Amino acid sequence: MHTDARTLENGSVVAGDLCIVGAGAAGIAMALEWIGAERRVLLLEGGGFDYEPRMQELYRGEIAGLPYFPLEAARLHYFGGTTGHWAGFCSTFDALDFERRDWVPHSGWPIGRADLDPFYPRAHQVLGIGPYEWEAEQWRRRDPALVPFALDPKIAWTKMWQFSAPARLGTLYREQIVGASDVHLFTHANVVEIEANEGATAIEGMRVRTFEGKELRFRAPRYVLACSTIQNARLLLASNARATAGLGNGNDLVGRYFMEHLEMPSGNLVLTRTPAPATRMYAFEFGRTKARGEMALSPEVQRERRILNATVSLEPAPLEGAAQSTFQWGTPEVVERMRTQRVVPDAAATADSMAVRAEPRTFHLMTRQEQAPNPDSRVTLSGDRDALGVPRARLDWRLTELDRRSFRDFYEVLGREMGRAGIGRMQMRDWVMERADAPWPSSLGGGWHHMGTTRMHPDPKRGVVDASCRVHGIGNLWIAGAAVYPTAGCVNPTLTLVALTLRLSDHLKSATA
Amino acid sequence: MHRRHFLQLASVTTLGALASGCRAAREYDALTLTHPELLKALGAERVRTIGERYRATTRGESDAESLRQAIDHSRPAASRILGAAGPSVADLVREDFEKGRTVVVDGWVLSRTEARQCALYSITRPA
């Protein structure tokens, strides 16, 4: 079912069995799970089915600390959420990503990779990616041209990525959700306050306001907040009628530990072997490539060098060519074209591109590195309010010396291994070689990946949600999405956040059975 | 021939052969040392830049003789002193990477030997 919330009477109260706030990757993945579950699910989406500038404007925020991408351009505020312009990059977290690492402050999840293993294949289905195969050799069997570099697995390995079409969930699942009798989608239903009971131990409803000035209430025994990392924190902090510091924020943790992936051009690779080793495994054509490899360091090396996890992709390019970070080439205009243009490239252009890249010998190296959890990297409320009266978000993105040092160590080790294996020589960019306390370069960039802010930890003094993703101290509020990540891993968050959402969905189903 | 004369002659002959082998090895190296394999992949200008930076930042390795000696000293004693067939420069480079004898010059992660080769190249083939 679908209702445009603007058509409801002012003061209406809508009741259901489960209320999901936000219809992006997490919200839609969860709603799909409840189709046929014989429960009445309320799915609240602030936007409509299409892009609306005034909805995006609600996401505008203040940037403090390190330079960051405009918040209103980094997330999409309509049905389908940010999958409306994502690039479809998927990979799984490594087992080490979940572990407590004594060299990474605040690391360690209360769950392990094995807890997510049953949900990753289901997440594949939601996102429309290929088989649940994540070993390079598995892909080589599918396509003999995909040959991984002969690296010593004790040092480095080829980590696989898979690419969604990319799936625009708003388009893919609109008909299914709107046609479901037990999931009721409300569009243009912007939540302006999470209403709690007097002791702030339970949620009593979601207060929704429309641009036309109507106020509505949505009530259910259970609530799931799934409106993105920054907006989740913003809404919890702004809902301070019963708890002055905001809901779930009794220990001043909501909004802290905001994390990004550092996606930066960091070096060059020149192949030295004759004939050159095959590099097809590492090639990527947007809209066409189903899987490719990136190079990563083994868990043993990460432990020994006490560094963060990272992968590096190869981009065919002359050594002289200037390289730009994601934020430098991905202007808001470029990102907007990701949403509006066809994703399958022109066939002739692709043929040209493949011809040029037939035998590349030189590459730019693009690193994707996790950010170390940092309590001072945080989202707070701005003094400014949006058109619906909600305080805007203020992002103070901060990095640490560990983030910086890890880059250099990564390239020293991988460069040595590439030389040892006779593959080629690697060159670090100047900024990689600078001291760990040096300012970050202008090429600082991220993946538009927002994580943290309501991190998972069994101890309420160290995390906002518990291992089931329930907000500590509030009996009926859960959070879905990358906001609950205690650490960021080095791969794009979407696949894992969908897997986590499916796990949460199963948990809620068993709780309501 | 007296036994003592025989031994003296044999010693002289052996030492001569060893010296000759040593010279041959060093002459072989002299031809290859100044032409690093990296030239094919990186080109003369980059190799020259790497070489100049290496010389500027590595104490005691700024002239051709010290660089040749440094490479020579990195060879196993059997080939360095006795003139036994020693590892090729390519073998030295490979061994450097295996044993972690790498340096970072101009951002490049290189074997110590090939960095020295680049330095020699920058001397023998200045811009």
Side-chain angles (χ1 to χ4, degrees), chain B residues 50-104:
Chain B
I50 290 169
E52 287 166 357
R53 298 224 174 151
Y54 183 81
R55 286 161 52 209
T57 55
T58 310
R59 186 180 295 175
E61 295 189 28
S62 59
D63 60 84
E65 186 52 30
S66 61
L67 286 160
R68 285 198 182 94
Q69 277 183 11
I71 294 174
D72 200 38
H73 286 162
S74 69
R75 299 164 65 194
S79 61
R80 194 171 71 240
I81 300 167
L82 302 176
S88 66
V89 174
D91 288 338
L92 279 180
V93 169
R94 199 172 305 118
E95 195 179 275
D96 280 348
F97 278 116
E98 279 170 4
K99 296 193 171 171
R101 293 192 301 249
T102 54
V103 290
V104 177

Side-chain angles (χ1 to χ4, degrees), chain A residues 459-471:
Chain A
D459 181 352
K461 291 183 178 164
R462 299 172 67 187
V464 176
V465 302
D466 65 15
S468 78
C469 298
R470 185 180 62 81
V471 176

Side-chain angles (χ1 to χ4, degrees), chain A residues 121-170:
Chain A
R122 286 165 58 185
H124 275 228
Q125 301 293 318
V126 175
L127 296 172
I129 58 175
Y132 188 62
E133 292 181 354
W134 292 98
E135 301 295 327
E137 285 303 324
Q138 291 174 311
W139 284 92
R140 187 182 190 176
R141 282 196 286 277
R142 287 180 175 274
D143 180 353
L146 299 180
V147 182
F149 289 148
L151 300 167
D152 179 351
K154 290 180 186 154
I155 305 294
W157 60 299
T158 294
K159 182 170 175 64
M160 292 305 300
W161 289 70
Q162 292 193 46
F163 304 99
S164 172
R168 306 285 182 232
L169 299 197

